[in-house]
Amino acid sequence: MSGILNGDVVEVREQSEGSRLYTRGNFGYPRSGGGVDLDLVEAVYLMENRRLDVEDAEGSRVSFEELFAHAARELDGFDIKYLVYRDLRNRGFVVKFETGDYDISVFPRGKTMSNSRPEFMVRAVSERNAVDIAILVREASDVSERRRKLLYGVVDEEGDLTYYSLSLRDPSGKVYPEPMSVRPVGRLIRDRVLVFDRGDSEALRDYGFYGKSMVEALQLSLIEGIHLVGKGRLTVLGPDDQPMDFDALMKAGESMQDEFRIRYLVYADLRERGLVVKTGFKYGTHFRVYQSSPDDSHARYLAHAVTPEGIRMWPEISRTVRLSGGVKKEILFGLVRKNSVEYLEFKWFKP
């Protein structure tokens, strides 16, 4: 079949050809009087698969190279969007190119545009693109409200694709501490808090699985210590043997550790949700997170604190997601906005 290039569309004017493209292949948009208009992504795909010949307005043949170059001039990021579109089409999905906030809509496998609604909204990006977590959170919320799923198709420098499913999460656990009959005392030693009294140590372990036991002390991370001070469950003595309040400990933490405040805010929020939170250093994240006793269960989540100003790159996201999948945990990015936290989950996805 043949079409005529006209700006950002290719017009298939013959009625029967247009009908076949639209009803059997789910390509194009019906034209008044018959035929279909193909967007440039569809036209390039059909031409690559030898299902379409294209001419310009003067009747001269347009080559695949010329059509591809024309599309690249007309559409920003065309090469990346086309590779994702092409891959999804080759996997058997009905796919439509979008010109709004998302690049591609994908219909359920085996369905058509006439008998279903899109299942996925897809953003097509290069592995060299920066990752703004705040934008991803907004998109995940928007797509969820539309009762669809958000996918990112990431194209590497060789043209291979990796897909990630993104969704907002509301994690919760089962550990809600009961009031303690004592108020333990700890001592700040550089960037951790040590509790030397055995009874105090046992009380904190029983209270919410805080700290790590040594032979003669309980070792708390500074974040754990500050959280307990803020809850009125711990007294921390400074180098001068005087109690340190929450603000003084926070100031000390910020002077010693990068991103201390945002890590604390995510830690505190997870604890308020009934989760037990421990360091995630060996997994390359800020925290590992348990829904119940760490003595009787494995961590379900890995959590990483980020801010709206924090920009990351896709290779970093890829490493984190691959690692979390390899250890059978879910990776959550905790986006801190002032004093609230939203959680975004990344999952490797195979269409």
Side-chain angles (χ1 to χ4, degrees), residues 270-290:
L270 291 169
R271 273 288 188 176
E272 292 299 314
R273 293 168 177 267
L275 295 154
V276 178
V277 188
K278 298 293 184 180
T279 178
F281 173 77
K282 65 181 177 181
Y283 298 110
T285 60
H286 288 147
F287 304 113
R288 66 187 195 275
V289 183
Y290 300 80

Side-chain angles (χ1 to χ4, degrees), residues 264-313:
Y264 169 76
L265 290 171
V266 170
Y267 175 93
D269 183 78
L270 291 169
R271 273 288 188 176
E272 292 299 314
R273 293 168 177 267
L275 295 154
V276 178
V277 188
K278 298 293 184 180
T279 178
F281 173 77
K282 65 181 177 181
Y283 298 110
T285 60
H286 288 147
F287 304 113
R288 66 187 195 275
V289 183
Y290 300 80
Q291 289 186 297
S292 57
S293 166
D295 299 330
D296 302 323
S297 64
H298 295 287
R300 176 169 178 176
Y301 305 110
L302 299 177
H304 206 79
V306 295
T307 65
E309 296 77 27
I311 302 297
R312 285 170 161 73
M313 302 301 290

Side-chain angles (χ1 to χ4, degrees), residues 79-89 95 104 122-125 153-155 161 163:
D79 57 327
I80 298 298
K81 295 171 184 177
Y82 176 69
L83 288 172
V84 176
Y85 175 94
R86 176 179 181 269
D87 181 75
L88 291 167
R89 270 284 184 179
V95 182
I104 297 165
V122 182
R123 294 273 278 123
V125 297
V154 184
V155 182
L161 273 135
Y163 292 94

